[in-house]
Amino acid sequence: MGSQGKKEKELLKELQELKQENASLKSSYGKDIIKLKKAEAALKESEEMLLEAQLIAKVGSWHLDFQTSQLFWSKACYLVLGIDENITRM
């Protein structure tokens, strides 16, 4: 076998290894997406349950970021106080 044939065999072997690695990465990527979608669904459900509990109790929650002086209100806070959450603050 000449050096050309050897190089072709090495390249074919390397190509096969890359294909296997690619398949493994695709599988891993798919699993990560599934985990992410499940986490997003769980977070959404948790947020909905929190909103429902806050509305039943007629309470809201807020958070003040001391570094930026930004005040964040929960959706329930706006609803309980009857304030449009789309209003911009000055």
Coordinates of all heavy atoms in Angstrom, one line a residue:
M1 N 0.9 -1.2 0.0 CA 0.0 0.0 0.0 C 0.9 1.2 0.0 O 1.8 1.4 0.8 CB -0.9 0.0 1.2 CG -1.8 1.2 1.3 SD -2.7 1.2 2.9 CE -3.7 -0.2 2.8
G2 N 0.6 2.2 -0.9 CA 1.4 3.4 -1.0 C 1.0 4.4 0.0 O 0.1 4.2 0.8
S3 N 1.8 5.5 0.1 CA 1.5 6.5 1.1 C 0.2 7.2 0.8 O -0.5 7.6 1.8 CB 2.7 7.5 1.1 OG 2.7 8.3 0.0
Q4 N -0.2 7.2 -0.4 CA -1.5 7.8 -0.8 C -2.7 7.0 -0.2 O -3.6 7.5 0.4 CB -1.7 7.9 -2.3 CG -2.9 8.6 -2.8 CD -2.9 10.1 -2.5 OE1 -1.9 10.7 -2.3 NE2 -4.1 10.7 -2.4
G5 N -2.6 5.7 -0.3 CA -3.6 4.8 0.3 C -3.6 4.9 1.8 O -4.7 4.8 2.4
K6 N -2.4 5.0 2.4 CA -2.4 5.2 3.9 C -3.1 6.4 4.3 O -3.8 6.4 5.3 CB -0.9 5.2 4.3 CG -0.5 4.1 5.2 CD 0.9 4.3 5.6 CE 1.4 3.1 6.4 NZ 2.7 3.2 6.8
K7 N -2.8 7.5 3.6 CA -3.4 8.8 3.9 C -4.9 8.7 3.8 O -5.7 9.3 4.6 CB -2.8 9.9 3.1 CG -1.5 10.4 3.5 CD -1.1 11.7 2.7 CE 0.2 12.2 3.3 NZ 0.5 13.5 2.8
E8 N -5.4 8.1 2.8 CA -6.8 7.9 2.5 C -7.5 7.2 3.7 O -8.5 7.5 4.2 CB -7.1 7.3 1.2 CG -7.0 8.2 0.0 CD -7.3 7.5 -1.3 OE1 -7.9 6.4 -1.3 OE2 -6.9 8.0 -2.3
K9 N -6.8 6.1 4.1 CA -7.3 5.3 5.2 C -7.4 6.1 6.5 O -8.3 6.0 7.3 CB -6.4 4.0 5.4 CG -6.9 2.8 4.7 CD -6.2 1.6 5.2 CE -6.9 0.4 4.8 NZ -6.4 -0.9 5.3
E10 N -6.3 6.9 6.8 CA -6.2 7.7 8.0 C -7.3 8.8 7.9 O -8.0 9.0 8.9 CB -4.9 8.4 8.1 CG -3.8 7.4 8.5 CD -2.4 8.0 8.5 OE1 -2.3 9.3 8.2 OE2 -1.4 7.3 8.6
L11 N -7.5 9.4 6.8 CA -8.6 10.4 6.6 C -10.0 9.8 6.8 O -10.8 10.4 7.4 CB -8.5 11.1 5.3 CG -7.3 12.1 5.1 CD1 -7.2 12.6 3.7 CD2 -7.4 13.2 6.1
L12 N -10.2 8.6 6.2 CA -11.5 7.9 6.4 C -11.7 7.6 7.9 O -12.8 7.7 8.4 CB -11.5 6.7 5.5 CG -11.7 6.9 4.0 CD1 -11.6 5.6 3.3 CD2 -13.1 7.5 3.8
K13 N -10.7 7.1 8.6 CA -10.8 6.8 10.0 C -11.1 8.1 10.8 O -12.0 8.1 11.6 CB -9.5 6.2 10.5 CG -9.6 5.7 11.9 CD -8.3 5.1 12.4 CE -8.4 4.8 13.9 NZ -7.2 4.3 14.5
E14 N -10.4 9.2 10.5 CA -10.7 10.4 11.1 C -12.1 10.9 10.9 O -12.8 11.4 11.8 CB -9.6 11.5 10.7 CG -9.7 12.8 11.5 CD -8.6 13.7 11.1 OE1 -7.6 13.3 10.5 OE2 -8.8 14.9 11.3
L15 N -12.5 10.8 9.6 CA -13.9 11.2 9.3 C -14.9 10.4 10.0 O -15.9 10.9 10.5 CB -14.1 11.0 7.7 CG -15.5 11.3 7.2 CD1 -15.8 12.8 7.5 CD2 -15.6 11.0 5.7
Q16 N -14.7 9.1 10.2 CA -15.6 8.2 10.9 C -15.7 8.6 12.4 O -16.7 8.7 13.0 CB -15.2 6.7 10.8 CG -16.2 5.8 11.4 CD -17.5 5.8 10.8 OE1 -17.7 6.1 9.6 NE2 -18.6 5.5 11.6
E17 N -14.5 9.0 13.0 CA -14.4 9.4 14.4 C -15.2 10.7 14.5 O -15.9 10.9 15.5 CB -13.0 9.6 14.8 CG -12.3 8.2 15.0 CD -10.8 8.4 15.2 OE1 -10.3 9.6 15.2 OE2 -10.1 7.4 15.4
L18 N -15.0 11.6 13.6 CA -15.7 12.9 13.6 C -17.3 12.7 13.5 O -18.0 13.4 14.2 CB -15.2 13.9 12.5 CG -13.8 14.4 12.7 CD1 -13.4 15.2 11.5 CD2 -13.8 15.3 14.0
K19 N -17.7 11.8 12.7 CA -19.1 11.5 12.5 C -19.7 10.9 13.8 O -20.8 11.3 14.3 CB -19.3 10.5 11.4 CG -19.3 11.1 10.0 CD -19.5 10.0 9.0 CE -19.5 10.6 7.6 NZ -19.8 9.6 6.5
Q20 N -18.9 10.1 14.5 CA -19.4 9.5 15.8 C -19.4 10.6 16.8 O -20.4 10.7 17.6 CB -18.4 8.4 16.2 CG -18.6 7.1 15.4 CD -17.5 6.1 15.8 OE1 -16.6 6.3 16.5 NE2 -17.7 4.9 15.3
E21 N -18.4 11.5 16.9 CA -18.4 12.6 17.8 C -19.6 13.5 17.6 O -20.3 14.0 18.5 CB -17.1 13.3 17.7 CG -16.9 14.4 18.8 CD -15.6 15.1 18.7 OE1 -14.6 14.5 18.2 OE2 -15.5 16.3 19.0
N22 N -19.9 13.8 16.3 CA -21.0 14.6 15.9 C -22.3 14.0 16.4 O -23.2 14.7 16.9 CB -21.0 14.9 14.4 CG -22.0 15.9 14.0 OD1 -22.3 16.8 14.7 ND2 -22.5 15.7 12.8
A23 N -22.5 12.7 16.2 CA -23.7 12.0 16.6 C -23.9 12.1 18.1 O -25.0 12.4 18.6 CB -23.7 10.6 16.1
S24 N -22.8 12.0 18.8 CA -22.8 12.0 20.3 C -23.2 13.5 20.7 O -24.0 13.6 21.7 CB -21.4 11.7 20.8 OG -21.4 11.8 22.2
L25 N -22.6 14.5 20.1 CA -22.9 15.9 20.4 C -24.4 16.2 20.2 O -25.1 16.8 20.9 CB -22.0 16.8 19.7 CG -20.6 16.9 20.1 CD1 -19.7 17.7 19.2 CD2 -20.5 17.4 21.5
K26 N -24.9 15.7 19.0 CA -26.3 15.9 18.7 C -27.2 15.3 19.8 O -28.2 15.9 20.2 CB -26.7 15.3 17.3 CG -26.2 16.2 16.2 CD -26.6 15.5 14.9 CE -26.2 16.4 13.7 NZ -26.6 15.7 12.4
S27 N -26.9 14.1 20.2 CA -27.7 13.4 21.2 C -27.6 14.2 22.5 O -28.7 14.4 23.2 CB -27.1 12.0 21.4 OG -27.8 11.4 22.5
S28 N -26.4 14.6 22.9 CA -26.3 15.4 24.1 C -27.0 16.7 24.0 O -27.7 17.1 25.0 CB -24.8 15.7 24.4 OG -24.6 16.5 25.5
Y29 N -27.0 17.4 22.9 CA -27.7 18.6 22.7 C -29.2 18.4 22.8 O -29.8 19.2 23.4 CB -27.3 19.2 21.3 CG -27.9 20.5 20.9 CD1 -27.5 21.7 21.5 CD2 -28.9 20.5 20.0 CE1 -28.1 22.9 21.2 CE2 -29.5 21.8 19.6 CZ -29.1 22.9 20.2 OH -29.7 24.1 19.9
G30 N -29.7 17.4 22.2 CA -31.1 17.1 22.3 C -31.5 16.9 23.7 O -32.6 17.3 24.1
K31 N -30.7 16.2 24.5 CA -31.1 15.9 25.9 C -31.1 17.2 26.7 O -31.9 17.5 27.6 CB -30.1 15.0 26.6 CG -30.2 13.5 26.0 CD -29.2 12.6 26.6 CE -29.3 11.2 26.0 NZ -28.2 10.4 26.4
D32 N -30.1 18.1 26.4 CA -30.1 19.4 27.1 C -31.3 20.3 26.7 O -31.8 20.9 27.6 CB -28.8 20.2 26.6 CG -27.5 19.7 27.2 OD1 -27.6 18.8 28.2 OD2 -26.4 20.0 26.8
I33 N -31.8 20.2 25.5 CA -33.0 20.9 25.1 C -34.2 20.4 25.9 O -35.0 21.2 26.4 CB -33.2 20.9 23.6 CG1 -32.1 21.7 22.9 CG2 -34.6 21.4 23.2 CD1 -32.2 21.7 21.4
I34 N -34.3 19.1 26.0 CA -35.4 18.5 26.7 C -35.4 18.9 28.2 O -36.4 19.3 28.7 CB -35.4 17.0 26.6 CG1 -35.7 16.5 25.2 CG2 -36.3 16.3 27.6 CD1 -35.4 15.1 24.9
K35 N -34.2 18.9 28.8 CA -34.1 19.4 30.2 C -34.5 20.8 30.3 O -35.2 21.2 31.3 CB -32.6 19.2 30.7 CG -32.2 17.8 31.1 CD -30.8 17.8 31.6 CE -30.3 16.5 32.0 NZ -28.9 16.5 32.4
L36 N -34.0 21.7 29.4 CA -34.4 23.1 29.4 C -35.9 23.3 29.3 O -36.5 24.1 30.0 CB -33.6 23.8 28.3 CG -33.9 25.3 28.1 CD1 -33.5 26.1 29.4 CD2 -33.2 25.9 26.9
K37 N -36.5 22.6 28.4 CA -38.0 22.7 28.2 C -38.7 22.3 29.4 O -39.7 22.9 29.8 CB -38.4 21.9 27.0 CG -37.9 22.4 25.6 CD -38.5 23.7 25.3 CE -38.1 24.2 23.9 NZ -38.5 25.5 23.6
K38 N -38.3 21.2 30.1 CA -38.9 20.7 31.3 C -38.7 21.8 32.4 O -39.7 22.1 33.2 CB -38.3 19.4 31.7 CG -38.8 18.2 30.9 CD -38.2 16.9 31.4 CE -38.7 15.7 30.6 NZ -38.1 14.5 31.1
A39 N -37.5 22.4 32.5 CA -37.3 23.4 33.5 C -38.1 24.6 33.3 O -38.7 25.2 34.2 CB -35.8 23.8 33.6
E40 N -38.3 25.0 32.0 CA -39.1 26.2 31.6 C -40.6 25.9 32.0 O -41.2 26.8 32.5 CB -39.0 26.5 30.2 CG -37.7 27.1 29.8 CD -37.5 27.3 28.3 OE1 -38.3 26.7 27.5 OE2 -36.6 28.1 27.8
A41 N -41.0 24.7 31.7 CA -42.4 24.4 32.0 C -42.7 24.4 33.6 O -43.7 24.9 34.0 CB -42.8 23.0 31.4
A42 N -41.7 23.8 34.3 CA -41.8 23.8 35.8 C -41.8 25.2 36.3 O -42.6 25.6 37.3 CB -40.7 23.0 36.4
L43 N -41.0 26.1 35.8 CA -40.9 27.5 36.2 C -42.2 28.2 35.9 O -42.7 28.9 36.8 CB -39.7 28.2 35.5 CG -39.6 29.7 35.8 CD1 -39.4 29.9 37.3 CD2 -38.5 30.3 35.0
K44 N -42.7 28.0 34.7 CA -44.0 28.6 34.4 C -45.1 28.2 35.3 O -45.9 29.0 35.8 CB -44.4 28.3 32.9 CG -45.6 29.0 32.5 CD -45.9 28.8 31.0 CE -47.2 29.5 30.6 NZ -47.7 29.1 29.3
E45 N -45.2 26.9 35.6 CA -46.2 26.4 36.5 C -46.0 27.0 37.9 O -47.0 27.4 38.5 CB -46.1 24.9 36.6 CG -47.2 24.2 37.4 CD -47.1 22.7 37.5 OE1 -46.3 22.1 36.8 OE2 -47.9 22.2 38.3
S46 N -44.8 27.1 38.3 CA -44.5 27.7 39.7 C -45.0 29.1 39.7 O -45.6 29.6 40.7 CB -43.1 27.5 40.0 OG -42.8 28.1 41.2
E47 N -44.7 29.9 38.7 CA -45.0 31.3 38.6 C -46.6 31.4 38.6 O -47.1 32.3 39.3 CB -44.5 32.0 37.4 CG -43.0 32.2 37.4 CD -42.3 32.7 36.1 OE1 -43.0 32.5 35.0 OE2 -41.2 33.2 36.2
E48 N -47.3 30.6 37.9 CA -48.7 30.6 37.8 C -49.3 30.3 39.2 O -50.3 31.0 39.6 CB -49.3 29.6 36.8 CG -49.0 30.1 35.3 CD -49.3 29.1 34.3 OE1 -49.7 27.9 34.7 OE2 -49.2 29.4 33.1
M49 N -48.7 29.3 39.9 CA -49.2 29.0 41.2 C -49.0 30.1 42.2 O -49.8 30.4 43.1 CB -48.6 27.7 41.7 CG -49.1 26.5 41.0 SD -48.2 24.9 41.3 CE -47.9 24.9 43.0
L50 N -47.8 30.8 42.1 CA -47.5 31.9 43.0 C -48.5 33.0 42.7 O -49.0 33.6 43.7 CB -46.1 32.4 42.8 CG -45.7 33.7 43.5 CD1 -45.8 33.5 45.0 CD2 -44.3 34.1 43.1
L51 N -48.8 33.3 41.5 CA -49.7 34.4 41.1 C -51.1 34.1 41.7 O -51.7 34.9 42.3 CB -49.8 34.6 39.6 CG -50.8 35.7 39.1 CD1 -50.5 37.0 39.7 CD2 -50.8 35.7 37.6
E52 N -51.5 32.8 41.5 CA -52.8 32.4 42.0 C -52.9 32.6 43.5 O -53.9 33.1 44.1 CB -53.1 31.0 41.6 CG -54.5 30.5 42.0 CD -54.8 29.1 41.6 OE1 -53.9 28.4 41.0 OE2 -55.9 28.7 41.8
A53 N -51.9 32.1 44.2 CA -51.9 32.2 45.7 C -51.9 33.7 46.1 O -52.6 34.1 47.1 CB -50.6 31.5 46.2
Q54 N -51.1 34.5 45.4 CA -51.1 35.9 45.8 C -52.4 36.6 45.6 O -52.8 37.4 46.4 CB -49.9 36.7 45.0 CG -48.6 36.3 45.5 CD -47.5 37.1 44.8 OE1 -47.6 37.5 43.6 NE2 -46.4 37.3 45.4
L55 N -53.1 36.3 44.5 CA -54.4 36.9 44.2 C -55.4 36.4 45.2 O -56.3 37.2 45.6 CB -54.8 36.5 42.8 CG -54.0 37.2 41.7 CD1 -54.4 36.8 40.3 CD2 -54.1 38.8 41.8
I56 N -55.4 35.1 45.6 CA -56.3 34.6 46.6 C -56.1 35.4 47.9 O -57.1 35.8 48.5 CB -56.2 33.1 46.7 CG1 -56.7 32.4 45.5 CG2 -56.9 32.6 48.0 CD1 -56.4 30.9 45.4
A57 N -54.9 35.6 48.3 CA -54.6 36.2 49.5 C -54.6 37.7 49.4 O -54.5 38.4 50.4 CB -53.2 35.8 50.0
K58 N -54.8 38.2 48.2 CA -54.8 39.7 47.9 C -53.5 40.4 48.5 O -53.6 41.4 49.1 CB -56.1 40.3 48.5 CG -57.3 39.8 47.9 CD -58.5 40.5 48.4 CE -59.7 40.0 47.5 NZ -60.9 40.1 48.1
V59 N -52.4 39.7 48.1 CA -51.1 40.3 48.4 C -50.2 40.3 47.2 O -50.5 39.5 46.2 CB -50.4 39.6 49.5 CG1 -51.1 39.6 50.8 CG2 -50.1 38.1 49.2
G60 N -49.2 41.0 47.1 CA -48.3 41.0 46.1 C -46.9 41.0 46.7 O -46.7 41.0 47.9
S61 N -45.9 40.9 45.8 CA -44.5 41.0 46.4 C -43.7 42.0 45.6 O -44.1 42.4 44.5 CB -43.9 39.6 46.3 OG -43.9 39.1 45.0
W62 N -42.7 42.4 46.2 CA -41.8 43.4 45.5 C -40.4 43.1 45.9 O -40.1 42.5 46.9 CB -42.2 44.8 45.8 CG -42.2 45.1 47.3 CD1 -43.3 45.0 48.1 CD2 -41.1 45.7 48.0 NE1 -42.9 45.3 49.4 CE2 -41.6 45.8 49.4 CE3 -39.8 46.0 47.8 CZ2 -40.7 46.2 50.4 CZ3 -39.0 46.5 48.8 CH2 -39.5 46.6 50.1
H63 N -39.5 43.7 45.1 CA -38.0 43.6 45.4 C -37.4 44.9 45.0 O -37.6 45.4 43.9 CB -37.5 42.4 44.5 CG -36.0 42.4 44.5 ND1 -35.2 41.9 45.6 CD2 -35.1 42.7 43.6 CE1 -33.9 42.0 45.3 NE2 -33.8 42.5 44.1
L64 N -36.5 45.4 45.9 CA -35.8 46.6 45.6 C -34.3 46.2 45.4 O -33.7 45.6 46.3 CB -35.9 47.6 46.7 CG -35.1 48.9 46.6 CD1 -35.5 49.7 45.4 CD2 -35.2 49.8 47.8
D65 N -33.8 46.6 44.2 CA -32.3 46.3 43.9 C -31.6 47.6 44.4 O -31.7 48.7 43.9 CB -32.1 46.2 42.4 CG -30.7 45.8 42.1 OD1 -29.8 46.3 42.8 OD2 -30.5 45.2 41.1
F66 N -30.9 47.4 45.5 CA -30.2 48.6 46.2 C -29.1 49.2 45.3 O -28.8 50.3 45.4 CB -29.7 48.2 47.6 CG -30.8 48.0 48.6 CD1 -31.2 46.7 48.9 CD2 -31.5 49.1 49.1 CE1 -32.2 46.5 49.8 CE2 -32.5 48.9 50.0 CZ -32.9 47.6 50.4
Q67 N -28.5 48.3 44.5 CA -27.4 48.8 43.7 C -27.9 49.7 42.5 O -27.2 50.7 42.2 CB -26.6 47.7 43.1 CG -25.9 46.9 44.2 CD -25.1 45.7 43.6 OE1 -25.4 45.2 42.5 NE2 -24.0 45.3 44.3
T68 N -29.1 49.4 42.0 CA -29.6 50.2 40.9 C -30.8 51.1 41.2 O -31.3 51.8 40.4 CB -30.0 49.3 39.7 OG1 -31.1 48.4 40.1 CG2 -28.9 48.4 39.2
S69 N -31.3 50.9 42.5 CA -32.4 51.6 43.0 C -33.7 51.2 42.1 O -34.6 52.0 42.1 CB -32.2 53.1 43.0 OG -31.2 53.4 43.9
Q70 N -33.7 50.1 41.5 CA -34.9 49.7 40.7 C -35.8 48.9 41.6 O -35.4 48.0 42.4 CB -34.4 48.8 39.5 CG -34.2 49.6 38.3 CD -34.1 48.6 37.1 OE1 -33.3 47.7 37.1 NE2 -35.0 48.8 36.1
L71 N -37.1 49.2 41.5 CA -38.1 48.5 42.2 C -38.9 47.6 41.3 O -39.3 48.0 40.2 CB -39.1 49.5 42.9 CG -40.2 49.0 43.7 CD1 -39.7 48.2 44.9 CD2 -41.2 50.1 44.1
F72 N -39.0 46.3 41.7 CA -39.7 45.3 40.9 C -40.9 44.9 41.7 O -40.8 44.5 42.8 CB -38.8 44.1 40.6 CG -37.5 44.5 39.9 CD1 -36.4 44.7 40.5 CD2 -37.5 44.5 38.5 CE1 -35.2 45.1 39.9 CE2 -36.4 44.9 37.8 CZ -35.2 45.1 38.5
W73 N -42.1 44.9 41.0 CA -43.3 44.4 41.6 C -43.8 43.2 40.9 O -43.6 43.0 39.7 CB -44.4 45.5 41.4 CG -44.4 46.7 42.3 CD1 -43.4 47.0 43.1 CD2 -45.4 47.7 42.4 NE1 -43.7 48.2 43.8 CE2 -44.9 48.6 43.4 CE3 -46.6 47.8 41.8 CZ2 -45.7 49.7 43.7 CZ3 -47.4 49.0 42.2 CH2 -46.9 49.9 43.1
S74 N -44.4 42.3 41.7 CA -45.0 41.1 41.1 C -46.3 41.5 40.3 O -46.8 42.6 40.6 CB -45.3 40.1 42.2 OG -46.4 40.5 43.0
K75 N -46.7 40.6 39.4 CA -47.9 40.9 38.7 C -49.1 41.1 39.7 O -49.9 42.0 39.5 CB -48.2 39.8 37.7 CG -49.3 40.1 36.8 CD -49.5 39.0 35.7 CE -50.6 39.4 34.7 NZ -50.5 38.6 33.5
A76 N -49.1 40.3 40.7 CA -50.2 40.4 41.7 C -50.2 41.7 42.4 O -51.3 42.3 42.7 CB -50.1 39.2 42.7
C77 N -49.0 42.3 42.6 CA -48.9 43.6 43.3 C -49.7 44.6 42.4 O -50.5 45.4 43.0 CB -47.5 44.0 43.4 SG -47.1 44.9 44.9
Y78 N -49.5 44.6 41.1 CA -50.2 45.6 40.3 C -51.7 45.3 40.3 O -52.5 46.2 40.4 CB -49.7 45.4 38.8 CG -48.3 46.0 38.6 CD1 -47.2 45.2 38.5 CD2 -48.2 47.4 38.4 CE1 -46.0 45.7 38.3 CE2 -46.9 47.9 38.1 CZ -45.8 47.1 38.1 OH -44.6 47.6 37.9
L79 N -52.1 44.0 40.2 CA -53.5 43.7 40.1 C -54.2 44.0 41.4 O -55.3 44.5 41.4 CB -53.7 42.2 39.8 CG -53.2 41.7 38.4 CD1 -53.2 40.2 38.3 CD2 -54.1 42.4 37.4
V80 N -53.6 43.7 42.6 CA -54.2 44.0 43.9 C -54.4 45.5 44.1 O -55.4 45.9 44.6 CB -53.4 43.3 45.0 CG1 -53.8 43.9 46.4 CG2 -53.5 41.8 45.0
L81 N -53.4 46.2 43.6 CA -53.5 47.7 43.8 C -54.3 48.4 42.7 O -54.5 49.6 42.8 CB -52.1 48.3 43.9 CG -51.3 47.8 45.2 CD1 -49.9 48.3 45.1 CD2 -52.0 48.3 46.4
G82 N -54.6 47.6 41.7 CA -55.4 48.2 40.5 C -54.6 49.1 39.7 O -55.1 50.1 39.2
I83 N -53.3 48.9 39.6 CA -52.4 49.7 38.8 C -52.0 49.0 37.5 O -51.7 47.8 37.5 CB -51.1 50.1 39.6 CG1 -51.5 50.8 40.9 CG2 -50.1 50.8 38.7 CD1 -50.3 51.0 41.8
D84 N -52.1 49.8 36.4 CA -51.7 49.2 35.1 C -50.2 48.9 35.1 O -49.4 49.9 35.2 CB -52.1 50.1 33.9 CG -51.8 49.6 32.6 OD1 -51.2 48.5 32.4 OD2 -52.1 50.3 31.6
E85 N -49.8 47.7 34.9 CA -48.4 47.4 34.9 C -47.6 47.9 33.7 O -46.4 47.8 33.7 CB -48.1 45.9 35.2 CG -48.6 45.0 34.1 CD -48.3 43.5 34.4 OE1 -47.2 43.1 34.6 OE2 -49.3 42.8 34.5
N86 N -48.3 48.3 32.7 CA -47.6 48.9 31.5 C -47.2 50.4 31.7 O -46.6 50.9 30.8 CB -48.5 48.7 30.3 CG -48.7 47.2 30.0 OD1 -47.8 46.4 30.0 ND2 -49.9 46.8 29.7
I87 N -47.7 51.0 32.7 CA -47.4 52.4 33.0 C -45.9 52.5 33.3 O -45.3 51.8 34.2 CB -48.2 53.0 34.1 CG1 -49.7 53.0 33.7 CG2 -47.7 54.4 34.5 CD1 -50.6 53.5 34.8
T88 N -45.2 53.4 32.6 CA -43.8 53.7 32.9 C -43.7 54.6 34.1 O -44.4 55.6 34.2 CB -43.0 54.2 31.7 OG1 -43.9 55.0 31.0 CG2 -42.4 53.2 30.9
R89 N -42.7 54.4 34.9 CA -42.4 55.2 36.1 C -41.4 56.3 35.7 O -40.5 56.1 34.9 CB -41.9 54.4 37.2 CG -43.0 53.4 37.7 CD -42.5 52.8 39.0 NE -43.3 51.6 39.0 CZ -42.8 50.4 39.1 NH1 -41.5 50.2 39.1 NH2 -43.5 49.3 39.2
M90 N -41.5 57.4 36.4 CA -40.5 58.5 36.1 C -39.4 58.3 37.1 O -39.5 57.8 38.1 CB -41.2 59.8 36.3 CG -42.3 60.0 35.3 SD -42.6 61.7 35.2 CE -43.3 61.9 33.6

